[in-house]
Amino acid sequence: MTDTAGLAPDTQLVHLGRDPEAFHGVVNPPVYHASTFIFRSVEHLLDTRRDRAGGAFEQFTYGREGTPTTRALEDAVTQLEGGYRAVVTSCGLGAICAALTAFLSAGDHLLIVDSLYGPVRQFCDEFLSRFGVEVTYYDPLVGEGIAALVRPRTRVIYMESPCSLTFEMTDVPAITRVARARGITTIMDNTWASPLCFQPLRHGVDVSIHAATKYISGHSDLMLGIAVCNEQAFIPVKKTASGSGYCGGPDDVYMALRGLRTLGVRMPRHQATATTIARWLQTRPEVSRVMYPALPDDPGHAIWRRDFQGASGLFGAVLKPCSDRQFAAMLDHLSLFQMGYSWGGYESLVVPTYPGTLRSARPWTDAGRGLRLHAGLEDPDDLIRDLERGFDRLARAA
Ligand SMILES: *Cc1c(COP(=O)(O)O)cnc(C)c1O
């Protein structure tokens, strides 16, 4: 295994989580299809039980708790983010639900950011509340003001920065300072940044979560989640993930690890193309504003610059008010920006957004319609022409 300590992230991406010498010189770790691991003896079986009971989870015991392929992906992402251990799950939402339920019990209070990934909001409102957890949504711009929202039973503060759909930047270190001083666990959805552009654990976060479905896999062909934990958080998250059955499939884990190898070339290209398109959109008369923290005039830019090493290709825009017919005329016939959920793959995508339905702490006051765009790896000029033809159709449909 190559020692990657002190190497740059691009070099680490090539070497992390693989050990050719252990596998006949094969470059990539093999895919282990396994439910069952055979024990050599009663003593060996008891040893794995002790390993698990002691919270080490070093040994392989059963497919649901991971295989060497799972461990390879977990180790790679853990090292990129400076964590202790990670837990791979069936999808990003699974990693989030496992992390939340690992730390929350009936009677506890959760502080969770407004304008977060929609299905997480649903999980809080429809499930956590049924199990007696009190949920408060906080303004993503709250900063140190989070202290005023903390209650005696606040156990978890959950962040996502930039926010889904609206892309406000949260001051992560300001929030983790408050949480640390009060013994509150912090969880952050870091999917937008990927492990390359932000490392939450280096800013005091306890659990950093990725929908590996997005940039880590990078090819829109699998579902997987990963929760990178510090030492205190690992055992609760691991126990909850395996105890709730959130395990990832072997082929998906292998493909995510394969996708990870090229993250270092994909991310800068996503950022460059997103920046080009975002700037172009700012010049268009049909657009009222663009939401992308990598732009110098974005309200979140200062925090992004201070804490992040780069940006992804996902950003938002609000159009000036237009009719349903105009909006559909633009979106229905785009050829390169196809309409679909998810993002982080090699291809460009667009979806209409309705941010007002997903927030309560800070009302959404924009009159126009929202768009979420994912800049893929296509040529940026081709992408701009696709949008330009869309705006022509919008004008003609007036
Ligand atoms: C997609 C997404 C998730 C959920 O991941 P799945 O793998 O689809 O379950 C979580 N957070 C963010 C920000 C996402 O975009």
Side-chain angles (χ1 to χ4, degrees), residues 233-308:
F234 172 68
I235 292 172
V237 174
K238 176 71 185 172
K239 282 192 168 167
T240 310
S242 31
S244 312
Y246 289 125
C247 60
D251 291 308
D252 292 341
V253 170
Y254 177 86
M255 291 210 291
L257 195 53
R258 179 158 122 158
L260 186 71
R261 303 293 172 206
T262 57
L263 190 64
V265 288
R266 287 186 282 117
M267 289 305 280
R269 174 67 181 261
H270 285 297
Q271 178 177 347
T273 302
T275 303
T276 303
I277 295 170
R279 289 216 170 102
W280 177 78
L281 285 173
Q282 285 182 319
T283 68
R284 292 293 309 196
E286 300 87 350
V287 174
S288 89
R289 65 190 182 105
V290 174
M291 300 168 287
Y292 187 46
L295 293 179
D297 50 353
D298 188 273
H301 186 71
I303 291 178
W304 174 79
R305 250 184 95 125
R306 186 192 66 191
D307 296 341
F308 284 52

Side-chain angles (χ1 to χ4, degrees), residues 89-96 116-120 158 160-165 189-192 209-214 222-226 314 341-343 372:
T89 55
S90 47
C91 66
L93 185 61
I96 294 166
L116 82 164
Y117 181 64
V120 178
Y158 182 100
E160 182 186 336
S161 181
C163 292
S164 276
L165 310 185
D189 183 333
N190 195 34
T191 304
W192 182 86
I209 291 174
H210 292 276
T213 309
K214 312 286 167 61
L222 63 87
M223 306 288 300
L224 210 64
I226 186 160
L314 190 77
Y341 290 128
S342 196
W343 41 273
R372 185 186 72 189

Side-chain angles (χ1 to χ4, degrees), residues 215-234:
Y215 284 115
I216 291 178
S217 78
H219 294 73
S220 306
D221 52 3
L222 63 87
M223 306 288 300
L224 210 64
I226 186 160
V228 182
C229 304
N230 63 15
E231 195 166 353
Q232 305 89 277
F234 172 68

